[in-house]
Amino acid sequence: MTQSPPADFDIADMTWPPPPFQQPVPPVTGADGIRRFDGITYATTPGYRPRLLDVQIPAGEGPFPAVIWIHGGGWLDGDRRYPPPTVPAALLHGAVLGAGLALVSIDYRHSLEAPFPAQLHDVKAAIRYVRRFAPALGIDPDRIGVWGESAGGHLAALAGLVRPGSTDAGTLAALEGAHGVGTGDTGVLAVVDWYGVHDLPALAAHPLPMPTGAEFPNPYEALLGVPVAEQAEPARAASPVTYAVPGSNPPPFLLVHGTADGLVPYSQSEALAEALTGAGGEVALQPVEGADHIFLGSPDIPAIVAESVAFLARHLGAGT
């Protein structure tokens, strides 16, 4: 939905270049009482498409804790509006809102638009935006979590682990970025990470199933801008396990991963769980027995969603 100018808009207030983000417009309230802010521009960069987010606020009195949803798609594809095809949007959104949590769904730059860390910069910009405009959105700025799947799981893990004041301060400062609302806290209270990539160097030797009959870039090389096997440092810098170290003070993590995942091996979540445990963090690793990527083959997707929402509701204090 195209954002309309506010009623008090004055052309004399326009500036050039355009501002790096747009303020929220009034929400649309449905018959169910849910307030929806659609297509808010949370960050702009000359030469790139605006980065957008949608916000859904439960019926009732807020402010509400919020979950930022980060879509997958190999960093090459995907859309904030659509979960993976195995997880109906109505199921995912309904479970989050039904638990008394606000849902913020974000887009981010794909890897052929800009290589890493652009994707993490955008996630950080979205978190800063939500905090900056929390009163207008009906969100509690002190109770924010992240939830991502596949490439989005990778970015959710990084969002939970990369923040100022952690170890390796120089690298972490560069990973914060300054897009959108350029400064502010990007910490989160909880992370749900579905079958994310966590250790890129370990994937260098893993055979990657590629689509046949079409040109499709290697997602890891597209993300980094270099071959993973030939450039160890960029792969290390983009790996969540790099930042799950003693002293990093990670938030609680729930890792959910199919044991038969042929695209991102289950061992990727085992590696992050081990690193988080070594860092003194709280982590739950939930295998989905026999399931492939995006939980293909799982007979009970609603139970996986329910467990993930319950984890977030518990750690974000929903209902309190």
Side-chain angles (χ1 to χ4, degrees):
M1 182 176 72
T2 302
Q3 298 181 46
S4 301
D8 59 354
F9 174 76
D10 186 339
I11 195 169
D13 295 331
M14 291 183 64
T15 60
W16 188 263
F21 57 86
Q22 298 289 334
Q23 296 191 29
V25 297
V28 173
T29 303
D32 53 7
I34 294 172
R35 287 168 287 153
R36 294 175 171 84
F37 301 80
D38 292 328
I40 298 174
T41 298
Y42 74 85
T44 64
T45 306
Y48 296 96
R49 61 191 167 103
R51 270 82 81 206
L52 305 180
L53 59 78
D54 299 335
V55 182
Q56 299 181 67
I57 305 294
E61 294 295 323
F64 296 94
V67 178
I68 295 179
W69 168 261
I70 311 171
H71 69 77
W75 311 280
L76 289 160
D77 200 0
D79 187 310
R80 70 186 187 279
R81 298 168 295 177
Y82 307 118
T86 49
V87 183
L91 170 65
L92 183 76
H93 297 182
V96 172
L97 294 165
L101 298 165
L103 179 64
V104 181
S105 306
I106 70 170
D107 281 332
Y108 53 87
R109 284 171 291 176
H110 295 154
S111 57
L112 294 185
E113 294 178 274
F116 185 83
Q119 297 71 33
L120 181 57
H121 287 171
D122 290 348
V123 172
K124 293 283 190 176
I127 295 170
R128 287 192 295 266
Y129 186 94
V130 170
R131 279 212 165 90
R132 167 78 173 269
F133 292 105
L137 297 171
I139 286 173
D140 184 341
D142 296 322
R143 294 190 289 168
I144 296 176
V146 289
W147 181 1
E149 59 97 17
S150 196
H154 163 260
L155 295 172
L158 285 172
L161 292 166
V162 173
R163 57 196 187 279
S166 300
T167 56
D168 200 2
T171 299
L172 294 172
L175 294 177
E176 281 290 312
H179 294 266
V181 176
T183 60
D185 179 20
T186 60
V188 297
L189 294 186
V191 178
V192 173
D193 174 352
W194 282 359
Y195 45 86
V197 171
H198 305 127
D199 185 353
L200 273 78
L203 287 171
H206 176 69
L208 186 65
M210 301 293 284
T212 58
E215 291 291 329
F216 198 87
N218 180 295
Y220 306 127
E221 292 185 10
L223 177 69
L224 301 177
V226 295
V228 176
E230 298 175 14
Q231 298 286 340
E233 179 53 29
R236 187 197 74 84
S239 296
V241 293
T242 299
Y243 309 103
V245 295
S248 59
N249 192 28
F253 269 70
L254 172 63
L255 307 175
V256 190
H257 208 133
T259 59
D261 194 322
L263 187 61
V264 178
Y266 179 73
S267 58
Q268 286 281 301
S269 285
E270 290 181 311
L272 182 57
E274 181 179 356
L276 288 165
T277 300
E282 176 187 340
V283 56
L285 173 58
Q286 179 61 53
V288 183
E289 296 296 337
D292 202 337
H293 205 60
I294 67 170
F295 301 136
L296 281 169
S298 170
D300 200 354
I301 299 293
I304 298 172
V305 172
E307 180 181 11
S308 301
V309 170
F311 176 89
L312 290 163
R314 183 168 67 253
H315 288 287
L316 298 181
T320 61

